[in-house]
Amino acid sequence: MKTVQRIPVLDLSDEIETLKPQLLKAFEDVLDGGAFIMGPNVKAFEQECASYLGTKHAIALNSGTDALVIGLLAAGVSAGDEVITTPFTFFATAEAISQIGATPVFVDVDIRTYNINLEQLEAAITPRTKAIIPVHLFGLAVDMDNVMKIAREHGLIVVEDTAQAFGAESGGKKAGTFGDVGCYSFFPSKNLGAYGDGGLLVTDNDEIAEKAEMLRAHGSKKKYHNEIVGYNSRLDEIQAAILRIKLPHIDQWNEGRQQAANHYHQLLEGNKNLILPVYEETGNSVFHQYTVRITGGKRDDVQRKLAEAGIQTMIYYPIPVHQLPIYRGMNRSLPNAETLAGEVLSLPIWPHIKPEIQEAVVVQLLRSM
Ligand SMILES: *Cc1c(COP(=O)(O)O)cnc(C)c1O
C-alpha cells in the first residue's frame, strides 16, 4: 500500500511541544493573577518589543489590522486623503485605508522583490497624497532608506505594514522602525505568532503614541473620560504571556527560516520554469513565506498535483487587491502584480522544517511541473 505523506504549509507542533511547559506555567500564572486584559504581561511585552525593535514606544493591540487603522489615524491620516500602497498584499493593508475613509492608491510592485516599486510610488504622488504604506511582504524588508527619502521630499507620513516581517532588517535597522508608525501582526501563522489574535504598533513619536493609546481604549486616557471616538483594541494577558515566551526565540527562528530558504534555493536553482525569490536585495528576508513563481500558466496545475501528493502549498495572493470587486474601476492595470498573482506559489516553510521534508517537497514539485 502506498503511504501518502502529509506536509502542511506551516507546522507549529515542534514549537508548541518544546515550549509547552513554559506555556502551561504562563497560563497558570495569568489565571492566578486574575488580570486578563492589559495586565502586567502586556506592559512587559510592550517594553520587551520596544527594546528588541529599538523604538521609544510599543503599543500592543488586538490585531495587525487594528495596528494599521489606529496607526494611520494616530499619525494624522484622515478621510479624503490618498494613501499609496501595494496591490500585492493581504487585503487588510488596503482595508485599513478604506476603513478610515481615505483612498488607497495602488502602484505596481517590483517583479523580483514582490515589494512596492519606488519609482512608481513617487510618480503616483498628488497634492492629496498624505501617506505611504510600504509592506515588507513575505518577510523581505523594503528599501526603507529610499522610501523615507521620498517621504521627506514630499512631506508624507509613512506607516509600515510589518505584519510578515518581525525582526527583518533594512540596512541593519529593523523593518517597521523607519516610518512614523510600524505595524505588526501576531496572527498565529505570522513569523512571530500568538495563539489567537494580536498586534503591535511602534513609534518614536510621543504624540502619535499618546493618540494610539487613546484610540486603543475607546478614545480615553482615563477610564470613563472618553475624549474621542476610538476602538476596543486591547491585547489580552494570555496572548501577551505567550508572546513573551516566544519573543526571545525570534532571531533564532528567523535564522531557521533563512537556512530553510537557502536549502530550497540550492535544491531548485537553475530550473527553467521556476523563478526563485530574491533576498538580501533591499534588506534581508526572514522568509515568512518561501514563494516561487511557476511560469507558463502551469501554477494551478502544479498546486493541484502537489495537493494530490499530500503537500499543502498556498497562493498568496490569487487576486491583487486593485482587482478585487470593491476596488475595481479605480485603477489602471498593474501588470507585475497581476503576473505574480497568476504565478506565485508559497512552499511549506517554518523555522525547524527538516531538510528531508523540503527534499520531499522539491521532488514532488519538480515531478509536477
Ligand atoms: C496578516 C496581515 C495583516 C493583518 O494582520 P491581522 O493580525 O490578521 O489583523 C495586515 N497586513 C499584512 C501584509 C498581513 O499579512
Side-chain angles (χ1 to χ4, degrees):
M1 209 176 80
K2 193 174 147 237
T3 52
V4 181
Q5 57 197 334
R6 293 253 162 258
I7 302 178
V9 76
L10 172 66
D11 185 352
L12 295 174
S13 59
D14 281 352
E15 168 197 301
I16 292 173
E17 213 38 60
T18 309
L19 299 178
K20 209 173 232 172
Q22 276 176 280
L23 291 167
L24 293 175
K25 170 80 171 61
F27 294 157
E28 208 169 4
D29 289 349
V30 172
L31 296 181
D32 292 343
F36 300 111
I37 292 269
M38 300 285 296
N41 279 294
V42 171
K43 270 242 136 43
F45 178 62
E46 289 179 336
Q47 277 159 13
E48 287 154 10
C49 282
S51 140
Y52 174 84
L53 294 167
T55 56
K56 191 163 176 199
H57 304 278
I59 298 164
L61 300 167
N62 197 263
S63 68
T65 306
D66 280 5
L68 290 165
V69 170
I70 289 175
L72 286 167
L73 289 172
V77 181
S78 54
D81 292 336
E82 286 178 0
V83 180
I84 301 174
T85 193
T86 165
F88 196 58
T89 179
F90 179 55
F91 177 58
T93 313
E95 186 183 30
I97 299 167
S98 297
Q99 195 66 257
I100 65 162
T103 305
V105 174
F106 301 107
V107 301
D108 210 353
V109 293
D110 180 324
I111 194 90
R112 298 186 61 246
T113 64
Y114 312 158
N115 279 332
I116 196 164
N117 178 305
L118 300 191
E119 275 158 38
Q120 299 208 22
L121 190 168
E122 192 158 23
I125 294 170
T126 75
R128 283 180 58 205
T129 306
K130 188 68 179 262
I132 307 168
I133 306 186
V135 179
H136 307 283
L137 197 76
F138 303 151
L140 178 66
V142 173
D143 173 9
M144 285 309 297
D145 281 339
N146 281 315
V147 170
M148 294 314 295
K149 214 165 117 204
I150 295 169
R152 261 181 237 114
E153 270 166 29
H154 298 270
L156 302 177
I157 292 164
V158 176
V159 173
E160 291 175 67
D161 184 339
T162 324
Q164 301 187 5
F166 195 101
E169 292 182 350
S170 180
K173 186 170 151 73
K174 293 271 185 289
T177 68
F178 289 81
D180 299 271
V181 176
C183 303
Y184 301 83
S185 164
F186 305 124
F187 184 77
S189 68
K190 307 291 176 172
N191 70 316
L192 179 61
Y195 300 136
D197 274 311
L200 184 83
L201 178 161
V202 298
T203 184
D204 287 330
N205 181 308
D206 296 341
E207 277 170 50
I208 292 175
E210 190 183 19
K211 182 99 186 278
E213 281 180 356
M214 286 175 74
L215 289 166
R216 160 173 78 176
H218 302 287
S220 63
K221 273 183 223 152
K222 198 173 143 201
K223 210 170 184 180
Y224 307 126
H225 292 69
N226 310 72
E227 294 170 49
I228 53 173
V229 173
Y231 299 86
N232 172 3
S233 184
R234 300 165 301 214
L235 186 68
D236 68 81
E237 275 292 288
I238 298 228
Q239 299 311 327
I242 292 163
L243 287 162
R244 289 188 68 203
I245 292 169
K246 295 178 78 170
L247 179 61
H249 297 276
I250 191 64
D251 285 343
Q252 193 211 327
W253 288 342
N254 283 341
E255 276 163 33
R257 287 174 178 275
Q258 287 162 341
Q259 274 167 21
N262 285 334
H263 195 48
Y264 270 138
H265 197 91
Q266 283 161 3
L267 295 168
L268 292 170
E269 211 174 13
N271 202 290
K272 266 208 307 299
N273 301 312
L274 212 63
I275 300 173
L276 304 183
V278 299
Y279 43 105
E280 301 289 351
E281 180 156 305
T282 51
N284 78 348
S285 178
V286 294
F287 286 98
H288 176 61
Q289 302 296 339
Y290 188 85
T291 304
V292 300
R293 288 168 58 198
I294 295 167
T295 55
K298 286 191 292 192
R299 192 267 318 271
D300 291 348
D301 203 38
V302 169
Q303 188 187 36
R304 189 181 45 76
K305 287 183 188 154
L306 283 167
E308 281 164 13
I311 296 169
Q312 186 190 20
T313 57
M314 299 296 267
I315 297 170
Y316 304 117
Y317 296 91
I319 308 168
V321 178
H322 71 288
Q323 290 190 320
L324 288 171
I326 59 167
Y327 294 129
R328 211 179 275 155
M330 275 175 68
N331 281 283
R332 64 205 158 84
S333 83
L334 301 170
N336 288 348
E338 289 157 29
T339 298
L340 290 175
E343 294 182 349
V344 286
L345 192 69
S346 296
L347 305 182
I349 193 163
W350 57 88
H352 301 295
I353 187 169
K354 293 194 174 66
E356 306 87 83
I357 294 183
Q358 294 187 270
E359 284 146 26
V361 170
V362 167
V363 166
Q364 280 302 333
L365 174 62
L366 298 180
R367 211 178 269 167
S368 306
M369 293 194 16

